[in-house]
Amino acid sequence: MVRARQVRKSFGALQVLQGVDLEVQRGEVVCLIGASGSGKSTLLRCINHLESLDGGRIWVDGQVVGYELRGGRLHEKSSAGICRDRTQTGMVFQHFNLFAHMTVLENVMLAPRTVLRQRPAEILPRALALLERVGLADKAKAYPRQLSGGQQQRVAIARALCMEPKLMLFDEPTSALDPELVGDVLQVMRDLAASGMTMIVVTHEMGFAREVADRVVFMHGGQIVEQGPPAQLLGDPQHERTRAFLSAVR
Ligand code: ADP
Ligand code: MG
């Protein structure tokens, strides 16, 4: 579903991604871990072309993201083309960024209506089913401010799913939540993983990674240092950097 080859990204003189290779199979759940500043968010943002690349290439479901071949060279797509690429990838951020002046249901229905130009009658059953799925059917008419952080994050997940993406990217979805609200969000993500969704999850929730991930990828200094099944990577890390990181977060 995802193939990243030799992805490079700098901000000014700072090389944030230094030749990242990553493949994610259809239906696979990959947890991305690593210290703050190691490039995890930037990598996710590159997969959705929220950042342009300085080198390398990323494919989602066989299509190059954000770029097209013209005159034998890769050029960045038009904003419409980039927008179309993004519709196949759902993203959930640490801060849920719901529209405050819209109800929960309106938030969930907005992108299919405006981006995919679907009719409300077509979106509504799907939106309601998704709210049911994230345990918020009774909050459809509520406004974001009336919800807890955990509920808002579950709305954000439903909103992303309403675009019927092929791939879901999560960037520390529970890091901004009070501890007692984390469990419900992780449960929604666990159910989504069980349903066969392809997911890349940046998280510090090692319990979630151990239980749900098919593979854990450890990043350091803009590179993938080590990856493997959770039991192996978390239980018996081979690289000194991985060991140091894991002992710091435990
Ligand atoms: P992580 O998610 O692993 O904490 P990030 O990908 O957010 O790491 O950031 C990696 C590095 O890139 C950090 O040093 C960060 O300050 C820097 N960085 C990220 N985004 C930008 C940006 N838009 N402009 C300048 N520097 C950035
Ligand atoms: Mg980050």
XYZ file of all heavy atoms in Angstrom, residues 183-237:
408
model
N -7.898 5.306 26.456
C -8.332 3.933 26.188
C -9.401 3.836 25.110
O -9.327 2.964 24.228
N -10.391 4.742 25.154
C -11.482 4.681 24.170
C -10.975 4.941 22.761
O -11.444 4.328 21.799
C -12.574 5.705 24.507
C -13.390 5.296 25.724
O -13.350 4.092 26.073
O -14.054 6.169 26.308
N -10.031 5.868 22.631
C -9.472 6.173 21.307
C -8.663 4.979 20.793
O -8.794 4.566 19.639
C -8.613 7.455 21.359
C -7.896 7.681 20.033
C -9.486 8.663 21.704
N -7.853 4.401 21.678
C -7.070 3.228 21.264
C -7.980 2.072 20.884
O -7.685 1.309 19.953
C -6.097 2.807 22.378
C -4.959 3.789 22.658
C -4.048 3.237 23.760
C -4.126 4.091 21.414
N -9.118 1.940 21.575
C -10.051 0.857 21.246
C -10.616 1.036 19.839
O -10.719 0.075 19.069
C -11.204 0.801 22.275
C -12.116 -0.407 22.087
C -11.346 -1.735 22.118
O -10.505 -1.976 22.984
N -11.600 -2.606 21.139
N -10.944 2.272 19.489
C -11.428 2.553 18.130
C -10.345 2.189 17.102
O -10.626 1.585 16.056
C -11.833 4.045 17.995
C -11.981 4.451 16.536
C -13.129 4.304 18.764
N -9.106 2.513 17.411
C -8.003 2.211 16.487
C -7.754 0.704 16.394
O -7.445 0.175 15.321
C -6.737 2.930 16.931
C -6.874 4.451 16.803
S -5.537 5.324 17.591
C -4.142 4.706 16.663
N -7.921 0.023 17.527
C -7.770 -1.440 17.561
C -8.826 -2.099 16.658
O -8.527 -2.970 15.853
C -7.961 -1.888 19.015
C -7.233 -3.118 19.408
C -7.438 -3.400 20.899
N -6.470 -2.710 21.730
C -6.763 -1.883 22.743
N -8.028 -1.627 23.068
N -5.813 -1.308 23.432
N -10.077 -1.605 16.770
C -11.172 -2.137 15.945
C -10.892 -1.875 14.468
O -11.151 -2.725 13.614
C -12.509 -1.478 16.323
C -12.966 -1.881 17.717
O -12.421 -2.868 18.263
O -13.868 -1.207 18.255
N -10.374 -0.695 14.184
C -10.079 -0.326 12.797
C -8.992 -1.247 12.233
O -9.087 -1.719 11.091
C -9.627 1.135 12.763
C -9.451 1.773 11.399
C -10.764 1.756 10.625
C -8.958 3.226 11.566
N -7.980 -1.507 13.051
C -6.913 -2.414 12.625
C -7.490 -3.808 12.360
O -7.173 -4.443 11.353
C -5.823 -2.480 13.691
N -8.380 -4.252 13.235
C -8.974 -5.592 13.086
C -9.841 -5.671 11.839
O -10.030 -6.745 11.268
C -9.780 -5.941 14.339
N -10.367 -4.528 11.400
C -11.221 -4.517 10.206
C -10.392 -4.583 8.921
O -10.948 -4.651 7.830
C -12.093 -3.256 10.197
O -11.336 -2.145 9.736
N -9.070 -4.536 9.057
C -8.220 -4.715 7.874
C -7.662 -3.429 7.300
O -7.000 -3.454 6.262
N -7.897 -2.306 7.973
C -7.366 -1.024 7.482
C -5.837 -1.041 7.538
O -5.240 -1.562 8.477
C -7.909 0.124 8.346
C -7.387 1.492 7.967
S -7.809 2.030 6.303
C -9.515 2.516 6.512
N -5.223 -0.464 6.528
C -3.774 -0.252 6.545
C -3.508 1.003 7.371
O -4.113 2.052 7.121
C -3.251 -0.041 5.112
O -3.747 -1.087 4.272
C -1.741 -0.014 5.088
N -2.622 0.890 8.358
C -2.429 2.005 9.283
C -0.945 2.219 9.576
O -0.197 1.270 9.775
C -3.157 1.724 10.620
C -4.675 1.589 10.452
S -5.571 0.851 11.861
C -5.079 1.845 13.248
N -0.556 3.499 9.605
C 0.752 3.870 10.137
C 0.482 4.777 11.329
O -0.207 5.799 11.191
C 1.628 4.601 9.104
C 1.743 3.777 7.817
C 3.013 4.887 9.688
C 2.575 4.441 6.733
N 0.979 4.379 12.486
C 0.635 5.049 13.729
C 1.906 5.510 14.438
O 2.714 4.683 14.866
C -0.148 4.089 14.668
C -0.586 4.810 15.929
C -1.348 3.460 13.952
N 2.069 6.815 14.542
C 3.139 7.354 15.387
C 2.590 7.387 16.803
O 1.538 7.998 17.049
C 3.545 8.777 14.957
C 4.565 9.353 15.940
C 4.113 8.772 13.543
N 3.254 6.699 17.708
C 2.709 6.635 19.065
C 3.800 6.396 20.103
O 4.858 5.858 19.798
C 1.641 5.515 19.172
O 1.021 5.581 20.450
C 2.243 4.134 18.974
N 3.501 6.832 21.303
C 4.346 6.485 22.443
C 3.664 5.435 23.315
O 4.153 5.106 24.395
C 4.653 7.728 23.281
C 5.433 8.754 22.514
N 6.719 8.529 22.083
C 5.104 9.984 22.072
C 7.157 9.577 21.409
N 6.187 10.480 21.385
N 2.503 4.936 22.822
C 1.769 3.906 23.566
C 2.367 2.542 23.230
O 1.960 1.873 22.284
C 0.282 3.926 23.183
C -0.462 5.189 23.554
C -0.720 5.297 25.048
O -0.695 4.247 25.743
O -0.936 6.424 25.516
N 3.352 2.138 24.019
C 4.058 0.897 23.702
C 3.155 -0.322 23.869
O 3.317 -1.327 23.170
C 5.303 0.751 24.582
C 6.358 1.816 24.298
S 6.865 1.790 22.569
C 7.413 3.465 22.377
N 2.174 -0.216 24.781
C 1.222 -1.321 24.957
C 0.418 -1.543 23.687
O 0.220 -2.680 23.237
N -0.015 -0.429 23.082
C -0.766 -0.505 21.830
C 0.118 -1.097 20.733
O -0.306 -1.980 19.976
C -1.255 0.890 21.433
C -1.996 0.940 20.126
C -3.352 0.651 20.078
C -1.338 1.266 18.948
C -4.045 0.679 18.881
C -2.023 1.297 17.744
C -3.377 1.011 17.711
N 1.341 -0.614 20.640
C 2.260 -1.097 19.606
C 2.486 -2.605 19.765
O 2.436 -3.363 18.797
C 3.588 -0.343 19.686
N 2.685 -3.023 20.993
C 2.973 -4.434 21.257
C 1.792 -5.318 20.852
O 1.947 -6.378 20.261
C 3.267 -4.610 22.757
C 3.723 -5.992 23.166
C 3.947 -6.034 24.667
N 5.053 -5.169 25.082
C 6.340 -5.542 25.038
N 6.662 -6.743 24.606
N 7.286 -4.723 25.420
N 0.591 -4.800 21.157
C -0.605 -5.621 20.985
C -1.147 -5.570 19.551
O -1.633 -6.570 19.031
C -1.669 -5.097 21.966
C -2.968 -5.836 21.971
C -4.060 -5.008 22.610
O -3.761 -4.017 23.321
O -5.226 -5.335 22.374
N -1.095 -4.383 18.916
C -1.824 -4.182 17.662
C -0.909 -4.173 16.430
O -1.322 -4.601 15.359
C -2.653 -2.865 17.724
C -3.434 -2.660 16.438
C -3.589 -2.881 18.923
N 0.309 -3.692 16.594
C 1.159 -3.526 15.405
C 1.582 -4.870 14.831
O 1.836 -5.825 15.561
C 2.396 -2.702 15.759
N 1.662 -4.935 13.520
C 2.298 -6.064 12.860
C 3.808 -5.854 12.853
O 4.580 -6.795 12.835
C 1.804 -6.177 11.409
C 0.317 -6.462 11.356
O -0.092 -7.492 11.917
O -0.438 -5.641 10.804
N 4.177 -4.577 12.846
C 5.601 -4.240 12.761
C 5.813 -2.914 13.484
O 4.960 -2.034 13.429
C 6.001 -4.126 11.298
C 7.442 -3.802 11.042
C 7.839 -4.273 9.639
N 6.852 -3.912 8.645
C 7.014 -2.953 7.727
N 8.121 -2.265 7.671
N 6.068 -2.700 6.857
N 6.941 -2.799 14.171
C 7.322 -1.539 14.804
C 8.578 -1.034 14.109
O 9.511 -1.802 13.853
C 7.570 -1.705 16.318
C 7.951 -0.368 16.953
C 6.331 -2.269 17.009
N 8.558 0.259 13.788
C 9.677 0.880 13.087
C 10.261 1.944 14.010
O 9.530 2.821 14.490
C 9.193 1.523 11.766
C 10.302 2.348 11.131
C 8.686 0.453 10.797
N 11.548 1.881 14.257
C 12.202 2.857 15.133
C 13.013 3.825 14.298
O 13.875 3.410 13.509
C 13.106 2.146 16.152
C 13.956 3.102 16.948
C 13.375 3.968 17.867
C 15.337 3.152 16.762
C 14.161 4.869 18.590
C 16.123 4.041 17.491
C 15.521 4.899 18.407
N 12.715 5.118 14.465
C 13.450 6.162 13.743
C 14.364 6.918 14.676
O 14.026 7.161 15.826
C 12.481 7.171 13.103
C 11.852 6.679 11.819
S 10.830 7.949 11.061
C 12.084 9.014 10.350
N 15.515 7.302 14.126
C 16.437 8.148 14.872
C 17.181 9.014 13.870
O 17.688 8.498 12.865
C 17.424 7.304 15.681
C 18.411 8.135 16.437
N 18.091 8.690 17.663
C 19.661 8.530 16.132
C 19.140 9.398 18.077
N 20.097 9.321 17.162
N 17.210 10.312 14.137
C 17.979 11.212 13.283
C 17.600 11.154 11.811
O 18.451 11.250 10.938
N 16.296 11.004 11.548
C 15.842 11.045 10.158
C 16.094 9.772 9.381
O 16.005 9.771 8.150
N 16.383 8.695 10.113
C 16.581 7.409 9.446
C 15.855 6.310 10.206
O 15.651 6.426 11.411
C 18.071 7.064 9.398
C 18.848 7.990 8.496
C 20.317 7.689 8.501
O 20.902 7.437 9.554
N 20.929 7.724 7.330
N 15.496 5.272 9.463
C 14.975 4.078 10.121
C 16.165 3.255 10.572
O 16.995 2.843 9.759
C 14.056 3.277 9.174
C 12.774 4.080 8.918
C 13.725 1.915 9.782
C 11.843 3.472 7.896
N 16.257 3.078 11.877
C 17.418 2.411 12.456
C 17.167 0.915 12.587
O 18.064 0.092 12.421
C 17.730 3.037 13.842
C 18.736 2.203 14.606
C 18.229 4.461 13.671
N 15.922 0.581 12.906
C 15.615 -0.823 13.178
C 14.129 -1.033 13.036
O 13.342 -0.136 13.348
C 16.062 -1.140 14.619
C 15.857 -2.582 15.008
C 16.509 -2.916 16.363
O 17.223 -2.059 16.928
O 16.283 -4.040 16.827
N 13.705 -2.189 12.551
C 12.287 -2.505 12.496
C 12.084 -3.990 12.636
O 12.994 -4.773 12.362
C 11.645 -1.989 11.219
C 12.322 -2.416 9.936
C 11.651 -1.791 8.728
O 10.437 -1.848 8.582
N 12.441 -1.183 7.863
N 10.887 -4.355 13.082
C 10.598 -5.781 13.234
C 9.272 -5.984 13.919
O 8.592 -5.018 14.281
N 8.885 -7.235 14.115
C 7.658 -7.535 14.862
C 7.783 -6.939 16.263
O 8.896 -6.866 16.796
C 7.636 -9.063 14.918
C 8.603 -9.539 13.883
C 9.616 -8.449 13.707
N 6.657 -6.523 16.861
C 6.743 -5.835 18.149
C 7.471 -6.634 19.220
O 8.283 -6.051 19.948
C 5.271 -5.597 18.541
C 4.431 -6.139 17.460
C 5.286 -6.550 16.326
N 7.218 -7.920 19.284
C 7.863 -8.708 20.346
C 9.380 -8.628 20.205
O 10.101 -8.512 21.203
C 7.388 -10.155 20.280
N 9.836 -8.659 18.951
C 11.280 -8.624 18.716
C 11.850 -7.224 18.956
O 12.814 -7.050 19.703
C 11.554 -9.070 17.285
C 13.026 -9.092 16.923
C 13.191 -9.239 15.407
O 12.529 -10.059 14.774
N 14.051 -8.428 14.840
N 11.211 -6.217 18.332
C 11.805 -4.878 18.422
C 11.707 -4.317 19.838
O 12.635 -3.681 20.331
C 11.136 -3.912 17.440
C 11.931 -2.609 17.406
C 12.426 -2.283 16.027
C 11.165 -1.463 18.015
N 10.560 -4.553 20.493
C 10.376 -4.001 21.838
C 11.023 -4.899 22.888
O 11.474 -4.421 23.926
C 8.883 -3.814 22.146
C 8.130 -2.896 21.176
C 6.638 -2.882 21.498
C 8.690 -1.474 21.218
N 11.054 -6.200 22.627
C 11.557 -7.146 23.629
C 13.051 -7.418 23.515
O 13.712 -7.664 24.529
N 13.550 -7.350 22.281
C 14.953 -7.721 22.084
C 15.598 -6.823 21.021
O 16.043 -7.285 19.977
C 15.015 -9.200 21.654
C 16.453 -9.686 21.526
O 17.344 -9.105 22.188
O 16.684 -10.631 20.751
N 15.615 -5.506 21.295
C 16.148 -4.587 20.283
C 17.629 -4.842 20.039
O 18.371 -5.148 20.969
C 15.922 -3.205 20.913
C 15.789 -3.450 22.377
C 15.210 -4.809 22.528
